[in-house]
Amino acid sequence: MKRIFYSISVFAFIACASSLNKASDNLTKVNFAEKYAASITAKELSKHLYIYASDEFEGRDTGEPGQKKAIAYLKDFYVKEGIVSPISKDNYYQEVPAEFLNKRKRGKGLKDSENVLAFIKGSEKPDEIVVVSAHLDHVGMKDGEIYNGADDDGSGTVALLEMAQAFNMAAKNGKGPKRSILFLHVTGEEKGLLGSKYYTENPIFPLANTVCNLNIDMVGRVDDAHKENPNYVYLIGSDKLSANLHALSEEMNTKYTNIALDYKYNDENDPNRFYYRSDHYNFAKHNIPIIFYFNGTHADYHKASDTPDKINYEMLEKRTRLVFHTAWEVANRTERITADLLEKSTEETEK
């Protein structure tokens, strides 16, 4: 009787061990990028945007009280999430002085303003920085009307918040990223890309250490050209400096999001010249590979009617996840993304 009991016990132990091994094997097969991307939801994006693009923020004009409320909202989010500042413990603001702002062509009578920075330190290559950016400002008020800027660029701003939260969840669970991520909310974009210009001239981290810039400016709407199929996003600049970044971007989309990538505005002969009209360009000028994510213009562009109720939150979720997956791959791949097309061009010139 004892022998039978012993045999059953041994069998049970082996079965249990086998079950644990299988569980361990399954654990190693978890796609962590997909797991944390799933935390980016239309519901949360909507929750943030209805606040950030509300009348309370008075159109977020550079240096004005509404913009100060906006940066406080961003800081409070990062503090609550336990996502640190790269500047100092309690200071998430990179001051952009009025003197700098008013030197520029469109800067007239502007007051001191701020970029907002949050940071997740890389686990293996912390000195290599992936910058994900969006502009926090809009055009303020005109003739008593508030220009809420839900799409421009409330959509990009809340996308950064959701991505930061997802990366932070991963970091807390010991799952990355290997390179550091800088979430950069820049001011003064509407005045001539001034906040991003200030950052690139006064970087918190050396530009030589900046791997790439993924810039999000208007990703919450559907333009007239895509009314029949809203599952798209315009990509601009992905192949200007880095073939590797362009290929990685397409690979991540095929693997995870299956959005139609429209390169219409990537054409060098595009009369709109969007490549030169958002904050990524200040990084590209320093030969840092970039991607600009954009939904195109629409009837509410730079009007008081650009409100949160008109956002396509399903597409905002998908586009945000695409940027997240791209940032995840850039941050975790073995080899650093480089401006390989620029390097190739230089080599050919020297020959």
Side-chain angles (χ1 to χ4, degrees), residues 25-212:
D25 288 343
N26 289 335
L27 187 63
T28 62
K29 294 176 183 176
V30 171
N31 185 324
F32 290 106
E34 200 163 39
K35 174 182 176 180
Y36 293 110
S39 72
I40 298 168
T41 65
K43 181 179 179 180
E44 287 297 309
L45 290 161
S46 173
K47 180 181 175 181
H48 283 302
L49 192 54
Y50 267 90
I51 298 170
Y52 194 76
S54 68
D55 287 352
E56 180 185 355
F57 291 83
E58 301 173 343
R60 309 185 303 276
D61 198 5
T62 303
E64 297 301 322
Q67 184 248 295
K68 306 298 182 182
K69 292 177 183 178
I71 64 171
Y73 182 84
L74 300 177
K75 176 184 175 179
D76 289 348
F77 171 83
Y78 288 121
V79 170
K80 182 180 178 181
E81 292 293 323
I83 302 171
V84 302
S85 164
I87 302 171
S88 64
K89 183 178 179 181
D90 297 314
N91 182 16
Y92 288 76
Y93 303 152
Q94 181 187 37
E95 303 293 334
V96 184
E99 181 183 8
F100 177 88
L101 296 169
N102 289 305
K103 282 180 182 177
R104 276 34 189 196
K105 185 169 60 176
R106 277 184 269 172
K108 292 183 179 179
L110 297 176
K111 302 171 186 175
D112 292 342
S113 191
E114 303 84 9
N115 293 329
V116 179
L117 286 68
F119 183 68
I120 294 177
K121 187 175 182 179
S123 59
E124 294 182 15
K125 300 180 179 183
D127 293 335
E128 295 184 14
I129 315 297
V130 179
V131 177
V132 187
S133 64
H135 70 89
L136 61 87
D137 63 308
H138 194 50
V139 298
M141 297 184 287
K142 298 178 183 179
D143 300 322
E145 281 193 294
I146 297 173
Y147 286 57
N148 301 104
D151 190 29
D152 185 14
D153 185 29
S155 60
T157 299
V158 300
L160 258 63
L161 299 184
E162 281 290 282
M163 284 189 283
Q165 185 181 59
F167 270 111
N168 195 44
M169 289 169 59
K172 285 180 177 178
N173 293 331
K175 301 302 177 185
K178 294 178 181 178
R179 293 178 177 83
S180 297
I181 311 286
L182 175 65
F183 297 95
L184 176 62
H185 301 264
V186 292
T187 190
E189 189 272 352
E190 301 289 0
K191 310 300 183 184
L193 316 184
L194 300 183
S196 55
K197 184 175 180 62
Y198 188 81
Y199 177 84
T200 54
E201 292 182 4
N202 303 272
I204 302 299
F205 301 100
L207 294 185
N209 292 4
T210 301
V211 176
C212 73

Side-chain angles (χ1 to χ4, degrees), residues 223 225-226 233-236 261-272 274:
D223 68 2
H226 296 85
V233 67
Y234 292 108
L235 290 195
I236 302 171
L261 304 182
D262 193 327
Y263 294 100
K264 173 184 176 180
Y265 296 126
N266 195 50
D267 189 335
E268 287 289 342
N269 297 315
D270 169 40
N272 297 285
F274 286 126

Side-chain angles (χ1 to χ4, degrees), residues 296-311:
T297 58
H298 44 75
D300 300 311
Y301 174 67
H302 277 198
K303 292 183 179 177
S305 49
D306 181 9
T307 50
D309 57 297
K310 295 181 179 178
I311 296 296

